[in-house]
Amino acid sequence: MKLGFLTACLPELDLVDVARWAVEQGYEALEVAGWPSTDTRNHIRVDRFDGAECERVGRIFAETGLTLSSIAYYENNLHPRAGAEVNAHVRRCVDAAAALGCPTVGTFVGRDPGLSVRDNLERADGVFRPLVAYARDHGVDLVIENCLMKSWHPDGYPGNLAYSPELWEWMFTLGLRLNYDPSHLVALGIDPVAAAMPYVSQIAHVQAKDVELLPGTINRFGYYGPISGEKGWYRFRVPGLGQIQWGEVIGALRRGGYDGVVSVEHEDPEWTGSTERVQSGLGIAYRTLRHLVRG
């Protein structure tokens, strides 16, 4: 395995500066943010990907020796209005990944909040089979993170239909693979190790994010969380500052045969506010995970 991180947490820095810092810290891989150029979460110009951009990004990885583990574009592929443009950008990410020798593109299934879950799954079949075929024709896997994305639903229900093992099994029938993030399982009362073990062969990428449970708050809100704008009953942390037992998680992945990248996804509110604080948070994550990942 190799240890990396998702670059979206450092939007102020150019990719070359992110890569050089990553090497100095000891990281071995980067999951590169590939949102459209109008978005600050953008370290590769996927929507303007030409020979010069391919050479720029390829040179950064060649000179630093880092692995490009994935191009990240996590948006709602089933959005009732913007879904077609999201699908088109996923294809652009696939084109860039293929040109750079990157094995995966990460995105969300998403959801149309005006439809039932069953109707969404039927619609997703028509959306994702062509996307998966396009990706496979280019030698790339589409990987789906198991994030709830409750903010995409007006009542706070899951807005990304990939949040449970039941839905993972449905995804796999379409040829989608899993970008496994254990933190979101804890937020559903699911044991992240027990949930992952039967599906390790379908995990093509791993995101490492921790979660801290806030004492007493679940008794007020329950698993679905608040509707009032108050803080919920948990918050995300960098690995090492939450309750996830990373030795157990990494050990289960290793026993199942996973040998890819473990990519830190930094969404810790305690370690944001400046580039330096974000980098400090990434440093905590590195020190927590390095000996486990390198085993």
Side-chain angles (χ1 to χ4, degrees), residues 205-260:
H205 198 262
V206 172
Q207 285 184 332
K209 183 164 71 263
D210 219 326
V211 62
E212 177 187 10
L213 306 186
L214 306 177
T217 53
I218 194 169
N219 295 329
R220 173 170 171 77
F221 303 125
Y223 281 125
Y224 291 113
I227 63 171
S228 58
E230 297 180 60
K231 292 182 178 180
W233 60 275
Y234 65 90
R235 62 177 180 169
F236 295 125
R237 305 302 307 273
V238 293
L241 299 183
Q243 76 160 56
I244 292 177
Q245 300 298 312
W246 289 101
E248 296 181 11
V249 169
I250 301 299
L253 292 170
R254 192 181 302 280
R255 289 192 300 276
Y258 182 77
D259 61 357

Side-chain angles (χ1 to χ4, degrees), residues 6-8 31-35 41-44 46 70-73:
L6 173 57
T7 66
E31 178 185 3
V32 177
W35 275 261
R41 297 167 298 175
N42 171 21
H43 285 109
I44 178 173
V46 170
S70 191
I71 295 178
Y73 174 57

Side-chain angles (χ1 to χ4, degrees), residues 40-256:
T40 58
R41 297 167 298 175
N42 171 21
H43 285 109
I44 178 173
R45 293 186 286 272
V46 170
D47 48 4
R48 292 181 290 167
F49 194 80
D50 55 14
E53 178 67 354
C54 184
E55 182 180 357
R56 179 187 76 92
V57 177
R59 183 169 59 250
I60 290 169
F61 281 90
E63 290 178 352
T64 60
L66 292 168
T67 293
L68 174 55
S69 68
S70 191
I71 295 178
Y73 174 57
Y74 287 92
E75 292 292 352
N76 188 349
N77 279 277
L78 300 183
H79 193 284
R81 294 180 301 279
E85 177 51 34
V86 173
N87 305 158
H89 194 75
V90 169
R91 286 185 171 87
R92 290 191 284 269
C93 289
V94 168
D95 292 340
L100 292 164
C102 175
T104 69
V105 166
T107 190
F108 287 138
V109 170
R111 177 179 186 165
D112 181 340
L115 299 178
S116 70
V117 171
R118 290 190 182 278
D119 287 345
N120 267 283
L121 298 186
E122 290 183 9
R123 183 163 172 256
D125 187 283
V127 169
F128 277 99
R129 287 194 188 278
L131 287 176
V132 168
Y134 186 83
R136 286 190 170 172
D137 285 346
H138 288 74
V140 175
D141 277 327
L142 289 185
V143 296
I144 305 292
E145 183 189 351
N146 54 292
C147 180
L148 279 72
M149 293 307 296
K150 294 187 291 183
S151 63
W152 285 353
H153 194 285
D155 293 322
Y157 299 136
N160 173 40
L161 298 180
Y163 55 84
S164 68
E166 178 185 19
L167 288 163
W168 300 350
E169 292 177 355
W170 160 77
M171 292 192 319
F172 300 152
T173 68
L174 304 184
L176 295 165
R177 300 187 72 192
L178 182 62
N179 187 7
Y180 167 69
D181 183 333
S183 67
H184 300 299
L185 296 168
V186 175
L188 287 168
I190 297 174
D191 180 336
V193 174
M197 287 180 66
Y199 305 106
V200 176
S201 65
Q202 292 289 350
I203 295 174
H205 198 262
V206 172
Q207 285 184 332
K209 183 164 71 263
D210 219 326
V211 62
E212 177 187 10
L213 306 186
L214 306 177
T217 53
I218 194 169
N219 295 329
R220 173 170 171 77
F221 303 125
Y223 281 125
Y224 291 113
I227 63 171
S228 58
E230 297 180 60
K231 292 182 178 180
W233 60 275
Y234 65 90
R235 62 177 180 169
F236 295 125
R237 305 302 307 273
V238 293
L241 299 183
Q243 76 160 56
I244 292 177
Q245 300 298 312
W246 289 101
E248 296 181 11
V249 169
I250 301 299
L253 292 170
R254 192 181 302 280
R255 289 192 300 276

Side-chain angles (χ1 to χ4, degrees), residues 256-279:
Y258 182 77
D259 61 357
V261 170
V262 177
S263 179
V264 175
E265 184 184 18
H266 185 337
E267 294 183 348
D268 190 326
E270 294 295 316
W271 292 99
T272 58
S274 70
T275 298
E276 293 73 21
R277 287 192 64 78
V278 171
Q279 289 174 331

